[in-house]
């Protein structure tokens, strides 16, 4: 084992012989809450001997193994919190001179970047600081620690030797702004370690504190060999040293990141003056980092010492200036309960969770908690099992020697075991936190919805749309969105399926439907209302409730909204009014079918309305003048356009009826003839008049039906090529209306517009080629061997767009094939 393998590993390595003395496995405490998520060695190059704690981000866990990987020098991995998706993100190189080796500390996750340290390797073999993306790409060595020199203050029994910046970093980094802070447990000018700062891009590095020498080889004023992780509160870092201090058994310290002012808060190894264990012996060798509570207390562990020499849990306020503020909360009483808590604690509400690397009935370590609510209650949750044999890498169930500490994610604690597992190379494990503690930590009441989902909501075809929910209590909860009752998962077009905001991108017609979110915490779950998504821009086109995707323009004074509940009001009886209402996305008009219900509410009004297709430069905001110009003609005439006009005015010799004109002309202009009577259908009766229109190959067929009187009128008009008239295969579709001195209330409802493609079939180079205009969306191509059956099946060949046409190529067959386009 190389020199960078630290004092803790050297100390623990001899205990494997001790552990083998207790092979008669007792049943583990709380086994029903414990599960193994991954056994190292079962996947090629997945690493071995995971010494570091895990890092959690969302539903992902990130970790490292100090050995193994592709080159045997350690690796970085990710996996899902359910144990699936284990991935080797990065294997350290065999030479280890560029990137390092033995990544022994918990990774730091910041956005899409992982930051970490290697205990060895690098240019000088004394360790590195690195960063790598969460997908394993763009590995960068931010700093290689320098080689050992000569000299240094005092005797150097604590460390390996002096250098300029430190050596062998084995603690998690802390991020503040664009700087990373960490500790090196050896090196520095006195060989007792350093506290350093490095920028996140590696452009700058500096030592902010060098631990002092030891005149007698044991004690000093500030400590030596800082192994524990740093904790940042405001602009102050808090940490521990494994050795040194006034009694030679380690210290707690703080240091300012502004001016590097350093304070020793506690020296370990004396008698406890206050607290529940006052008068007993203090712990020694705090090799783990600290955890900070919301109340301003620091908590940590000593891997040895205490009344029985098996380790302790302690607390100290961040503002402590006196030895008496320090307390030992718990001291291990017997090896069978556990010993040597060597890594960081996790604080959940009033409970500290942690691990011991040794002890328990099988001498392979334990999972425990200690309460901080004044009772200092100790609870054992799991005893790691004995080995199956006496080999160096002996297997067992669940792992052995949990060296790295724990991390909390969701409702579980996750950790790594250094040894054991099905192969003997260690494990990743999960401990389910008891519901009572979770309820206290996360909130014991059901989630309370403050702002429910928005319904209905709309999206354009190919566009992006979001919906969200907010809760008031508790603030910590899990979310899972559903579509038509089925759980959603994130993919290229769906993000936030397990958050409070769901986003759909590149929306397609098939995503229209019902969305809701299930919100869960430890007390149970609650489900939001159902939000109905309408996808706009795909046939058939409608008013979309309150007119999403439509633009309204008007002249005059109105008191009625333009659109409400799928009812369009073109005039509301105020007189001298004009309105237009056009869909924002131009539609294919080479062939179409449209239906709507027109009503002159109350009857006897004027002037009238028009169904309009147009490509005016003003787009969907185009509007003409009111009165006899029906909102389509006049000084602001909509052009180029084609319009079916419905006239109510009988002055100037006009007839109540219809006409089809272009470019904003109306019957009263006397240019293209007067209006024509629709037979027995009276447009001014006040009854709803159902209108249907069919257009193809220059012919417009339409029918008026009085929904009350049951009278009907149908006719065909040769209106010419509408695509030439309006200047394109697509046009804005919509309605206009107006009144003048004789006021009216005119409405349009039940609107639907469907583009109808004309498919062309040809044979080319042994293939059947089916094509139709690319402007038309929402149609699927089907085939059938005969027209006498209903056995139509989908054509799965992908369509390509060539010269404005959707084109599907199908190899010719020796049998007859029929094809059709079907609106989905």
């Amino acid at each position: 084992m190389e020199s960078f393998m630290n004092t803790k590993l050297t100390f623990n390595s001899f205990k494997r012989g001790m552990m083998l003395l207790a092979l008669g496995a007792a049943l583990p405490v709380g086994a029903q809450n414990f599960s193994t998520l991954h056994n190292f060695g079962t996947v090629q190059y997945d690493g071995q001997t995971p010494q570091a704690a895990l890092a959690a981000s969302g539903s992902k866990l990130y970790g490292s193994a100090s050995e193994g990987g592709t080159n045997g020098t350690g690796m970085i991995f990710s996996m899902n919190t359910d144990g699936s998706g284990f991935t080797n993100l990065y294997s350290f190189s065999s030479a280890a001179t560029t990137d390092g080796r033995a990544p022994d500390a918990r990774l730091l996750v910041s956005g899409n970047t992982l930051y970490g340290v290697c205990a060895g390797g690098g240019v000088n073999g004394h360790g590195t600081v690195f960063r790598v993306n969460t997908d394993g790409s763009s590995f960068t060595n931010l700093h290689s620690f320098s080689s050992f020199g000569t000299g240094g203050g005092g005797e150097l029994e604590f460390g390996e030797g002096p250098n300029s910046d430190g050596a062998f970093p084995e603690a998690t980094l802390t991020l503040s702004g664009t700087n990373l802070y960490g500790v090196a447990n050896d090196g520095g000018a006195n060989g007792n370690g350093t506290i350093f700062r490095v920028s996140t891009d590696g452009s700058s590095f500096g030592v902010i504190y060098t631990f002092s020498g030891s005149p007698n080889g044991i004690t000093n004023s500030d400590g030596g060999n800082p192994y524990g992780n740093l904790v940042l509160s405001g602009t102050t870092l808090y940490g521990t040293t494994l050795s040194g201090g006034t009694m030679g058994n380690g210290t707690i310290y703080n240091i300012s990141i502004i001016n590097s002012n350093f304070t020793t808060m506690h020296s370990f190894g004396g008698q406890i003056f206050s607290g529940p264990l006052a008068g007993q012996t203090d712990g020694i060798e705090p090799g783990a980092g600290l955890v900070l509570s919301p109340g301003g207390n620091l908590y940590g562990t000593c891997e040895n010492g205490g009344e029985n020499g098996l380790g302790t849990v302690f607390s100290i306020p961040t503002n402590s200036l006196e030895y008496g503020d320090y307390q030992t909360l718990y001291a291990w009483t017997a090896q069978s309960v556990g010993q040597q808590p060597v890594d960081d604690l996790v604080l959940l509400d009033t409970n500290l969770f942690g691990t011991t690397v040794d002890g328990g009935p099988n001498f392979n370590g334990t999972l425990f908690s200690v309460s901080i609510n004044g009772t200092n209650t100790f609870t054992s949750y799991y005893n790691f099992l004995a080995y199956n044999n006496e080999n160096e890498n002996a297997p067992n169930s669940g792992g052995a020697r949990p060296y790295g500490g724990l991390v909390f994610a969701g409702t579980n604690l996750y950790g790594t075991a250094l040894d054991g597992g099905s192969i003997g190379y260690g494990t990743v494990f999960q401990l389910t936190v008891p519901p009572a503690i979770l309820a206290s930590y996360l909130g014991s009441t059901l989630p309370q919805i403050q702002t429910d989902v928005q319904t209905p909501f709309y999206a354009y075809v190919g566009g992006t749309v979001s919906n969200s929910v907010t809760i008031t209590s508790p603030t910590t909860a899990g979310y899972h969105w559903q579509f038509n009752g089925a759980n959603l998962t994130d993919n290229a077009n769906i993000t936030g399926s397990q958050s409070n905001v769901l986003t759909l991108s590149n929306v397609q017609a098939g995503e229209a439907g019902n969305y809701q979110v299930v919100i869960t915490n430890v007390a149970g779950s609650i489900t939001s209302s159902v939000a109905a998504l309408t996808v706009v821009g795909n046939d058939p086109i409608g008013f979309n409730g309150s007119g999403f995707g439509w633009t309204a323009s008007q002249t005059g004074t109105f008191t009625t909204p333009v659109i409400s509940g799928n009812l369009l009001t073109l005039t509301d009886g105020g007189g001298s009014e004009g309105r237009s209402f056009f869909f924002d996305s131009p539609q294919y008009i080479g062939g179409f079918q449209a239906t709507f219900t027109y009503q002159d509410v109350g009857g006897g009004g004027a002037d009238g309305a028009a169904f309009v297709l147009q490509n005016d430069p003003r787009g969907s905001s185009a509007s003409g003048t009111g009165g006899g110009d029906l909102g389509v003609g006049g000084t602001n005439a909509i052009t180029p356009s084609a319009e079916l006009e419905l006239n109510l005015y009988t002055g100037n010799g006009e007839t109540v009826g219809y006409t089809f004109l272009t470019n904003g002309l109306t019957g009263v202009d006397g240019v293209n003839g007067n209006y024509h009577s629709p037979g027995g259908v009276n447009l001014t009766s006040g009854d709803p008049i159902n209108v249907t229109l069919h257009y193809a190959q220059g012919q417009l067929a339409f029918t008026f039906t009085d929904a009350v009187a049951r009278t009907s009128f149908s006719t065909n008009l040769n209106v010419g090529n509408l695509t030439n008239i309006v200047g394109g295969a697509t046009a804005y579709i919509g309605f206009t209306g107006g009144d003048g001195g004789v006021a009216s209330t005119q409405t349009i409802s039940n609107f639907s517009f469907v583009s109808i493609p004309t498919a062309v079939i040809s044979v080319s180079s042994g293939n059947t080629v089916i094509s139709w205009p690319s402007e038309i969306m929402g149609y699927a191509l089907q085939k059938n061997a005969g027209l006498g059956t209903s056995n139509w099946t989908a054509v799965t060949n992908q369509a390509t767009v060539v010269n404005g046409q959707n084109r599907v190529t199908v190899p010719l067959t020796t049998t007859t094939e029929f094809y059709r386009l079907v609106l989905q």
Side-chain angles (χ1 to χ4, degrees):
M1 191 170 290
E2 296 187 358
S3 61
F4 62 81
M5 303 304 280
N6 60 48
T7 305
K8 288 196 285 187
L9 267 185
T10 302
F11 178 75
N12 288 325
S13 63
F14 93 97
K15 291 197 297 296
R16 186 181 292 276
M18 292 173 52
M19 297 172 195
L20 298 177
L21 297 177
L23 296 179
L27 288 176
V29 176
Q32 68 274 14
N33 296 324
F34 180 93
S35 57
T36 302
L37 299 183
H38 182 74
N39 288 281
F40 286 90
T42 56
V43 177
Q44 188 177 25
Y45 305 131
D46 68 343
Q48 62 189 73
T49 318
Q51 296 189 54
L54 300 166
S57 178
S59 60
K60 284 283 190 183
L61 298 172
Y62 298 93
S64 61
S66 60
E67 300 176 13
T70 305
N71 303 300
T73 53
M75 50 84 71
I76 298 169
F77 64 85
S78 69
M79 61 187 296
N80 298 321
T81 52
D82 63 3
S84 64
F86 187 98
T87 303
N88 182 340
L89 297 177
Y90 184 81
S91 286
F92 289 86
S93 63
S94 56
T97 57
T98 57
D99 51 359
R101 66 181 303 169
D104 289 345
R106 186 199 309 261
L107 297 165
L108 168 67
V109 187
S110 178
N112 295 321
T113 304
L114 301 171
Y115 297 95
V117 296
C118 284
V123 176
N124 303 296
H126 290 165
T128 63
V129 181
F130 64 83
R131 73 178 184 195
V132 63
N133 292 338
T134 52
D135 62 2
S137 63
S138 301
F139 183 96
T140 303
N141 183 349
L142 300 178
H143 182 74
S144 284
F145 288 87
S146 61
S147 59
F148 288 134
T150 59
E155 299 179 25
L156 299 173
E157 281 82 350
F158 288 176
E160 298 283 347
N163 68 358
S164 61
D165 51 356
F168 311 142
E170 297 191 58
T172 304
L173 298 166
T174 298
L175 178 65
S176 178
T178 59
N179 287 314
L180 300 162
Y181 294 87
V183 295
N185 58 54
D186 283 298
N190 302 302
N192 281 338
T194 64
I195 304 173
F196 61 83
R197 177 187 63 236
V198 59
S199 61
T200 52
D201 62 2
S203 60
S204 66
F205 178 93
V207 173
I208 66 171
Y209 189 77
T210 298
F211 288 89
S212 64
S214 306
N216 59 4
I218 299 174
T219 63
N220 63 5
S221 62
D222 51 355
N225 303 121
Y227 277 97
N229 308 329
L230 295 170
V231 174
L232 180 66
S233 178
T235 59
T236 302
L237 293 167
Y238 297 87
T240 60
T241 67
L242 189 66
S243 56
T246 58
M247 299 180 190
N249 291 312
T251 64
I252 302 172
Y253 64 85
N254 66 56
I255 185 171
S256 168
I257 63 173
I258 303 300
N259 55 22
S260 297
N261 284 344
F262 183 97
T263 301
T264 301
M265 300 172 62
H266 181 75
S267 287
F268 288 90
Q271 189 180 51
I272 304 303
F273 293 154
S274 65
L277 299 182
Q280 294 191 12
T281 303
D282 192 8
I284 62 174
E285 298 173 342
L290 301 167
V291 60
L292 177 65
S293 75
N297 283 331
L298 296 165
Y299 298 92
T301 61
C302 290
E303 62 183 78
N304 292 296
E307 194 68 20
N308 301 292
L310 302 175
T312 66
V313 176
F314 63 81
S315 71
I316 187 171
T318 55
N319 61 357
S320 175
L321 297 176
E322 299 178 7
Y323 189 86
D325 293 330
Y326 172 92
Q327 295 185 28
T328 294
L329 302 179
Y330 179 79
W332 269 262
T333 57
Q335 283 186 329
S336 60
V337 179
Q339 70 181 91
Q340 291 186 294
V342 299
D343 224 303
D344 303 350
L345 299 166
V346 172
L347 177 61
L348 300 180
D349 193 39
T350 59
N351 294 274
L352 294 164
F353 286 84
T355 61
T356 65
V357 74
D358 199 353
N362 306 302
F363 291 93
N364 272 342
T366 67
L367 294 173
F368 68 88
S369 74
V370 174
S371 67
I372 59 171
N373 58 2
T375 63
N376 303 320
T377 302
F378 177 89
T379 303
S380 179
Y381 284 101
Y382 185 76
N383 296 315
F384 286 86
L385 298 177
Y387 294 118
N388 291 338
N389 54 56
E390 298 185 9
N391 295 332
E392 181 180 358
N393 295 116
N396 73 353
S397 174
R401 299 206 298 163
Y403 191 84
L406 302 170
V407 65
F408 178 73
T411 58
N412 301 305
L413 290 162
Y414 298 89
T416 58
L418 187 68
D419 294 326
S422 61
I423 307 297
Y425 288 153
T427 65
V428 175
F429 61 81
Q430 170 187 291
L431 179 71
T432 301
V433 178
I437 294 176
L438 280 175
S440 179
Y441 179 61
L442 299 178
S444 59
T445 61
L446 279 171
Q448 302 298 309
I449 295 177
Q450 180 180 22
T451 304
D452 210 340
V453 293
Q454 297 80 58
T455 184
F457 67 123
Y458 301 90
Y460 287 105
V461 170
T464 298
V465 66
S466 295
N467 209 325
S468 63
V469 63
T470 58
I471 60 175
T472 57
S473 173
T475 56
T476 302
Y479 302 86
H480 210 134
W481 287 84
Q482 298 177 337
F483 172 56
N484 292 337
N487 286 339
L488 290 171
T489 57
D490 283 8
N491 57 36
N493 304 109
I494 298 175
T495 55
S497 62
Q498 296 185 55
S499 73
N500 69 311
V501 181
L502 175 71
T503 300
L504 309 176
S505 59
N506 191 25
V507 176
Q508 299 301 308
E511 294 175 283
N514 295 325
Y515 292 80
Q516 60 188 146
V517 58
V518 179
I519 308 164
T520 305
N521 73 343
V522 293
S525 63
I526 189 170
T527 303
S528 72
S529 300
V530 173
L533 173 65
T534 299
V535 180
V536 177
N538 196 78
D539 291 331
I541 303 300
F543 284 151
N544 305 322
S546 296
F548 177 86
W550 292 75
T551 296
S553 300
Q554 67 183 42
T555 58
T557 301
F558 289 84
T559 59
T560 304
V562 176
I563 182 76
S564 177
N566 283 311
L567 180 70
L568 168 65
T569 301
L570 292 173
T571 57
D572 68 355
S576 300
E577 298 172 330
R579 267 179 176 170
S580 68
F581 196 63
F582 286 104
F583 189 57
D584 292 336
S585 176
Q587 300 298 300
Y588 177 77
I589 61 169
F592 63 84
Q593 174 181 305
T595 61
F596 59 88
T597 298
Y598 168 80
Q599 187 172 12
D600 172 25
V601 180
D607 281 279
F611 170 68
V612 182
L613 313 174
Q614 54 95 359
N615 272 315
D616 190 279
R618 291 169 290 177
S620 59
S621 62
S623 180
T625 54
D629 293 310
L630 307 185
V632 68
T635 56
N636 297 315
I638 300 175
T639 182
S641 64
E643 47 267 9
L644 174 66
E645 301 175 10
L646 306 179
N647 179 58
L648 307 180
Y649 186 59
T650 57
N652 297 328
E654 292 301 323
T655 301
V656 173
Y658 70 90
T659 192
F660 190 90
L661 297 174
T662 62
N663 297 329
L665 296 175
T666 60
V668 297
D669 296 309
V671 177
N672 290 311
N674 293 328
Y675 294 99
H676 309 288
S677 173
V681 177
N682 181 6
L683 300 180
T684 62
S685 65
D687 296 340
I689 309 297
N690 296 327
V691 181
T692 62
L693 301 93
H694 298 267
Y695 172 77
Q697 298 180 344
Q699 298 294 312
L700 179 66
F702 55 90
T703 298
F704 300 141
T705 301
D706 189 313
V708 177
R710 303 295 184 185
T711 55
S712 183
F713 171 82
S714 299
T715 190
N716 292 341
L717 295 178
N718 183 4
V719 297
N721 189 330
L722 293 183
T723 62
N724 290 338
I725 293 172
V726 302
T730 62
Y732 295 98
I733 60 171
F735 295 88
T736 65
D739 64 8
V742 179
S744 64
T745 299
Q746 300 177 87
T747 64
I748 303 290
S749 59
N750 304 319
F751 175 63
S752 175
F753 179 95
V754 178
S755 299
I756 300 175
T758 299
V760 176
I761 300 179
S762 60
V763 176
S764 175
S765 302
N767 294 308
T768 300
V769 179
I770 305 100
S771 59
W772 67 97
S774 61
E775 295 92 347
I776 300 180
M777 296 179 289
Y779 282 87
L781 184 64
Q782 296 180 339
K783 66 179 180 179
N784 196 344
L787 296 179
T789 72
S790 59
N791 298 326
W792 292 93
T793 60
V795 176
T796 58
N797 305 56
Q798 293 294 315
T800 58
V801 178
V802 179
N803 296 326
Q805 296 285 308
N806 289 314
R807 180 175 294 179
V808 174
T809 302
V810 181
L812 278 173
T813 65
T814 57
T815 60
T816 301
E817 295 282 3
F818 296 89
Y819 294 90
R820 72 178 184 182
L821 292 170
V822 178
L823 185 64
Q824 298 298 290

